[in-house]
Amino acid sequence: MLTKFRGLSHREALIFKGTKRWAEFSPFIEYSDQEASNWLAAAVSFANQDLPKLHRDTVGVNATLPAVGPDQVEAVLSKFGEFSTVKIKVAEVEQTLINDIARVLKVTSSYPDVRIRLDANGNFSPEKALELLAQIPLDRLDYFEQPCASINELVELRTTIKHLGLKVLIAADESIRKASDPIEVAQRQAADIVMLKVQPLGGIERSLEIARQTGLRTVVSSALETSIGLSQGAYLAAALPELDFDCGLGTLSLMESDITLEPLKPVAGRITPREIEPDAALLQKYQASPERTKWWLERLERCFDLLEA
Ligand SMILES: [Mg+2]
């Protein structure tokens, strides 16, 4: 990673080729086998199944701003090239509300034409989230992603937002890890939008089914994948019948490199879904140590057993 993101300074991924194409299995290290097996279901389906019917040729993507100081904002965002939406990380460890506000205001003043969205990864209380919302230009805000951790808190925050007459949409991200979660979020009216991440939700078909079942608006986001994992997310985004927002699929710009010579990077703020071929020299360059390789292969076997069970 170019900047620490989600507490990570590097990313590990297992990639493999199925009968149809290359696929990526890259659950975060701390995830349980049970959870990781959904990621494997996604990878196996992408490797071996036909691509979905697409509703659009290209997908708009947002830039992503980690919890950096206001003085670093332009340097980090310049890596994204053209963009019309910036997702701003807030509420990270060691960051005060004052830092968060300064970061948001730096973006809105330096980029007067871009839309913003906030992502707190569940780290705010409803009160803190409201404090932040009170101090930023809400007419620039697409939505606030996972302001609080629990569904109860999200419901509480949405109720207060309505009482105050604010126009703020709430998106659920971490609240959605398994396939049944989006339905609960929708039923309890805890969010207006659900983030779809293709690996944790178990693949393109399952994600499309979840979008149908919730009836909520959707945004597709990456899980900090290589171009191979990102391409699966891009096919999902292009296959959704409706898509109103830029997607979080521009995350390669947060990384130092990739394992293909033709990375799935946005052109003029949009990406075009396509299949990705890894490059042998880059694979060799970024090959994991024997210990990490062994760990991943053992994890793969355990998760595969769970798939079959
Ligand atoms: Mg998020």
Side-chain angles (χ1 to χ4, degrees), residues 87 89 118-121 145-146 172-174 195 197 221:
K87 165 155 132 171
K89 286 279 179 186
L118 309 175
D119 188 359
N121 298 100
E145 185 175 324
Q146 200 78 38
D173 182 9
E174 283 83 354
M195 305 299 298
K197 288 187 176 141
S221 179

Side-chain angles (χ1 to χ4, degrees), residues 168-233:
V168 174
L169 299 179
I170 301 296
D173 182 9
E174 283 83 354
S175 289
I176 296 164
R177 272 186 155 181
K178 6 178 245 299
S180 59
D181 292 339
I183 315 296
E184 191 192 350
V185 165
Q187 278 172 349
R188 298 204 43 206
Q189 302 187 9
D192 307 275
I193 298 161
V194 287
M195 305 299 298
L196 300 176
K197 288 187 176 141
V198 73
Q199 280 202 79
L201 291 179
I204 293 174
E205 286 309 320
R206 282 201 214 169
S207 301
L208 290 173
E209 180 55 31
I210 286 164
R212 261 194 299 275
Q213 285 177 0
T214 62
L216 296 179
R217 296 160 87 183
T218 53
V219 179
V220 178
S221 179
S222 90
L224 289 180
E225 288 121 326
T226 74
S227 282
I228 294 175
L230 281 177
S231 75
Q232 187 176 14

Side-chain angles (χ1 to χ4, degrees), residues 2-306:
L2 288 170
T3 322
K4 229 181 189 193
F5 194 80
R6 208 185 163 281
L8 290 177
S9 51
H10 78 282
R11 189 78 173 96
E12 294 182 2
L14 185 155
I15 61 168
F16 61 91
K17 192 171 191 178
T19 53
K20 295 262 161 76
R21 63 192 64 80
W22 285 87
E24 171 169 341
F25 171 58
S26 54
F28 295 101
I29 307 300
E30 70 275 16
Y31 284 10
S32 70
D33 289 346
Q34 194 65 50
E35 204 164 346
S37 69
N38 286 330
W39 299 56
L40 184 58
V44 168
S45 68
F46 191 54
N48 297 320
Q49 290 174 11
D50 288 335
L51 294 169
K53 174 178 177 285
L54 303 187
H55 290 274
R56 58 195 64 77
D57 298 328
T58 66
V59 176
V61 300
N62 61 272
T64 302
L65 183 65
V68 297
D71 52 325
Q72 288 172 271
V73 164
E74 285 174 28
V76 173
L77 288 180
S78 68
K79 302 248 171 15
F80 285 86
E82 273 178 68
F83 52 84
S84 47
T85 311
V86 182
K87 165 155 132 171
I88 306 170
K89 286 279 179 186
V90 294
E92 294 221 339
V93 233
E94 293 169 19
Q95 295 289 325
T96 64
L97 198 63
I98 293 172
N99 295 147
D100 287 339
I101 293 164
R103 186 178 320 111
V104 174
L105 295 181
K106 176 69 186 172
V107 174
T108 52
S109 62
S110 298
Y111 304 88
D113 297 325
V114 307
R115 304 282 306 158
I116 59 165
R117 54 185 66 161
L118 309 175
D119 188 359
N121 298 100
N123 289 326
F124 275 142
S125 62
E127 294 74 26
K128 264 270 152 62
L130 287 165
E131 252 184 87
L132 175 60
L133 288 170
Q135 302 195 55
I136 61 164
L138 296 183
D139 57 335
R140 303 281 297 278
L141 182 67
D142 273 351
Y143 55 78
F144 197 158
E145 185 175 324
Q146 200 78 38
C148 317
S150 74
I151 290 195
N152 283 343
E153 290 171 307
L154 293 179
V155 173
E156 183 191 327
L157 177 61
R158 275 192 85 224
T159 309
T160 314
I161 283 171
K162 271 191 198 153
H163 280 153
L164 293 173
L166 300 176
K167 285 210 173 62
V168 174
L169 299 179
I170 301 296
D173 182 9
E174 283 83 354
S175 289
I176 296 164
R177 272 186 155 181
K178 6 178 245 299
S180 59
D181 292 339
I183 315 296
E184 191 192 350
V185 165
Q187 278 172 349
R188 298 204 43 206
Q189 302 187 9
D192 307 275
I193 298 161
V194 287
M195 305 299 298
L196 300 176
K197 288 187 176 141
V198 73
Q199 280 202 79
L201 291 179
I204 293 174
E205 286 309 320
R206 282 201 214 169
S207 301
L208 290 173
E209 180 55 31
I210 286 164
R212 261 194 299 275
Q213 285 177 0
T214 62
L216 296 179
R217 296 160 87 183
T218 53
V219 179
V220 178
S221 179
S222 90
L224 289 180
E225 288 121 326
T226 74
S227 282
I228 294 175
L230 281 177
S231 75
Q232 187 176 14
Y235 279 110
L236 167 60
L240 284 163
E242 279 169 59
L243 185 64
D244 303 328
F245 298 103
D246 285 344
C247 287
L249 296 168
T251 46
L252 275 181
S253 307
L254 297 165
M255 294 179 155
E256 178 202 289
S257 186
D258 195 0
I259 39 71
T260 174
L261 293 173
E262 293 179 75
L264 198 64
K265 283 204 169 168
V267 177
R270 306 190 71 83
I271 54 173
T272 306
R274 59 182 161 83
E275 295 177 39
I276 303 291
E277 282 291 321
D279 172 69
L282 284 169
L283 283 182
Q284 197 170 12
K285 180 174 176 195
Y286 289 103
Q287 188 171 29
S289 68
E291 296 77 35
R292 296 307 298 155
T293 302
K294 179 168 178 282
W295 185 90
W296 273 97
L297 290 175
E298 287 171 359
R299 183 188 215 187
L300 175 68
E301 285 208 31
R302 293 192 308 272
C303 291
F304 196 76
D305 287 344
L306 287 172

